[in-house]
């Protein structure tokens, strides 16, 4: 029976490990023992030079999900893939699969990704200070009161004529001050 296992890979090489592993499986006679090989990612949007850019962010940097039947041969196939450090869970010789519930949670998160708008790469927290870079309040600094990721808007309190004033701005109109 195929179960999901988490494979620890060199950070930054997850996609390469996924490709290498898929290639090794295709060239072996173990095709039936393997299911999917995934690097769980989500699409994020970041502002660069005033333009929206889409990019991918990994849910679990450094890890690759492998659906497989654990045997001596499949274990060696994964373990001997370049840039693989080993399995997560269990012992090095007898890795433990993740539960079906955990697997479903990860897979549904990947599934939802295609149906929802990309998340912003920059995450904002209430209480953080931001600089307004566009609009009538340009060059004002403000403190985040509320963040609405669905609408990509942030509510800031800025000082206008020494009076605290709340303004709602789009993510692209602000940037972190650090």
């Amino acid at each position: 029976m195929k179960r999901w296992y988490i494979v620890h890979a060199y950070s930054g090489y997850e996609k390469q490990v996924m490709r290498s592993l898929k290639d090794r499986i295709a060239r072996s006679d173990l095709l039936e023992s393997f299911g999917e090989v995934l690097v769980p990612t989500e699409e994020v949007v970041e502002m660069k030079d005033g333009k929206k850019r889409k990019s991918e962010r990994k849910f679990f940097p450094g890890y690759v999900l492998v659906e497989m039947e654990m045997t001596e041969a499949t274990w060696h196939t994964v373990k001997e893939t370049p840039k693989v450090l080993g399995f997560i869970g269990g012992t090095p010789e007898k890795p433990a699969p993740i539960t079906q519930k955990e697997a479903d949670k990860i897979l549904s998160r990947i599934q939802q990704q295609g149906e929802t708008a990309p998340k912003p790469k920059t995450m904002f927290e209430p209480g953080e200070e931001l600089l307004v870079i566009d609009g009538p309040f340009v060059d004002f600094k403000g403190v985040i009161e509320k963040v609405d990721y669905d609408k990509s808007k942030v509510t800031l309190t800025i000082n206008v004529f020494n009076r605290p004033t709340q303004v709602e701005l789009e993510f692209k109109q602000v940037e972190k001050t650090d």
Side-chain angles (χ1 to χ4, degrees):
M1 186 174 110
K2 291 181 195 140
R3 303 281 303 271
W4 285 97
Y5 291 85
I6 298 178
V7 175
H8 192 189
Y10 284 22
S11 193
Y13 290 93
E14 300 89 348
K15 294 260 185 178
Q16 186 180 331
V17 165
M18 178 180 75
R19 283 191 299 272
S20 298
L21 189 52
K22 283 180 174 180
D23 190 46
R24 288 174 70 97
I25 294 165
R27 287 186 283 120
S28 75
D29 55 356
L30 301 167
L31 206 54
E32 289 80 44
S33 299
F34 284 93
E36 292 184 78
V37 179
L38 303 169
V39 176
T41 57
E42 62 186 343
E43 202 174 63
V44 292
V45 174
E46 61 183 318
M47 294 301 290
K48 256 197 182 145
D49 306 325
K51 294 182 182 86
K52 274 188 180 183
R53 289 223 175 98
K54 287 184 181 181
S55 62
E56 274 188 343
R57 177 172 53 202
K58 295 171 189 81
F59 292 155
F60 309 112
Y63 299 104
V64 178
L65 278 150
V66 181
E67 186 183 23
M68 61 188 273
E69 212 173 293
M70 185 58 73
T71 65
E72 189 76 22
T74 58
W75 181 86
H76 279 290
T77 301
V78 173
K79 195 84 174 86
E80 291 167 4
T81 301
K83 310 255 188 285
V84 166
L85 296 165
F87 286 91
I88 301 297
T91 64
E93 295 77 32
K94 187 152 177 28
I98 59 173
T99 66
Q100 192 56 49
K101 190 177 174 186
E102 289 171 313
D104 291 342
K105 194 173 169 186
I106 294 166
L107 295 171
S108 74
R109 191 169 164 190
I110 295 169
Q111 203 72 46
Q112 286 174 344
Q113 195 48 44
E115 300 160 11
T116 57
K119 289 184 170 75
K121 186 167 188 176
T122 306
M123 301 306 265
F124 298 112
E125 296 289 324
E128 258 184 312
E129 187 177 64
L130 298 178
L131 175 67
V132 181
I133 56 168
D134 183 39
F137 299 103
V138 72
D139 291 334
F140 277 82
K141 284 185 179 179
V143 176
I144 299 175
E145 296 299 324
K146 182 168 92 187
V147 183
D148 185 343
Y149 287 108
D150 295 332
K151 293 181 182 167
S152 295
K153 292 192 176 199
V154 64
T155 303
L156 294 182
T157 297
I158 58 175
N159 276 323
V160 181
F161 304 119
N162 288 329
R163 288 205 174 122
T165 307
Q166 282 199 349
V167 292
E168 189 178 72
L169 300 167
E170 291 181 26
F171 287 168
K172 65 182 180 189
Q173 293 179 286
V174 295
E175 68 181 23
K176 292 190 179 205
T177 57
D178 45 42

